[in-house]
Amino acid sequence: RGGGGALAGPPGEGAGPGAMAAGPQIAPPIESDEELQNVYNWVDETPLSRPKKNISRDFADGVLFAEVVNHHFPRLVEMHNYSAANSQSQKMYNWSTLNTKVLKKLGYTMHQQDIDDVARAAPGAIERVLRVLQEKILQAQEGQLRPRISGGGGAPRSAPFEPGVREADLAAERRGGRPASPAGA
């Protein structure tokens, strides 16, 4: 099963802006211990519903991954769609749902090999996928990515996505007014 990374092309290609045109790319390998620790620290900043003991096994069912996405993009993930799972079929269902209903809106589609590896808790797989997610979230925070978020009358968002900012506040800002609520309300 090794050698799957050779399908991804040059390192970093799977996470680049043009990656969607060529279809899903295998998440590139993590190059250094520092980069790996950065991913672990980033995940540790996110409140999760259950403690992490073994990150590969803990994330295998997709629920904690959905929680990470939900933490940064609350309107993008409907947590009721994801249930803790031990069966491979439920894990695959969770990951497939995440891939088609959530990650696609972030301009990221996981390669089937990554889904298989993460669901079977292959060492290093979740870290690679989490790093790609981390890059997408950073792009959104810097205004380089506009997730396609449905709801609120179906009108697309015209402002860059800002995690934690209410839609009403963004609308007021666009009209030149003040936000409808104080920050953190």
Side-chain angles (χ1 to χ4, degrees), residues 63-142:
V63 173
L64 296 184
F65 189 89
E67 290 180 9
V68 171
V69 177
N70 187 56
H71 177 72
H72 294 280
F73 304 104
R75 295 181 57 213
L76 204 56
V77 181
E78 296 179 24
M79 288 305 299
H80 69 271
N81 286 333
Y82 309 96
S83 57
N86 289 320
S87 75
Q88 195 66 15
S89 62
Q90 183 62 42
K91 290 177 185 180
M92 294 302 286
Y93 172 82
N94 286 348
W95 281 105
S96 176
T97 303
L98 272 166
N99 205 26
T100 58
K101 294 186 183 279
V102 177
L103 297 178
K104 180 178 170 185
K105 294 177 183 176
L106 293 173
Y108 173 42
T109 303
M110 287 177 64
H111 191 280
Q112 187 61 46
Q113 184 65 50
D114 284 331
I115 293 172
D116 294 342
D117 288 350
V118 170
R120 67 178 176 80
I126 190 60
E127 290 89 343
R128 292 184 296 108
V129 171
L130 282 166
R131 191 189 41 149
V132 174
L133 175 65
Q134 181 184 28
E135 291 171 4
K136 292 295 182 182
I137 289 171
L138 287 172
Q139 288 174 357
Q141 289 170 340
E142 294 169 358

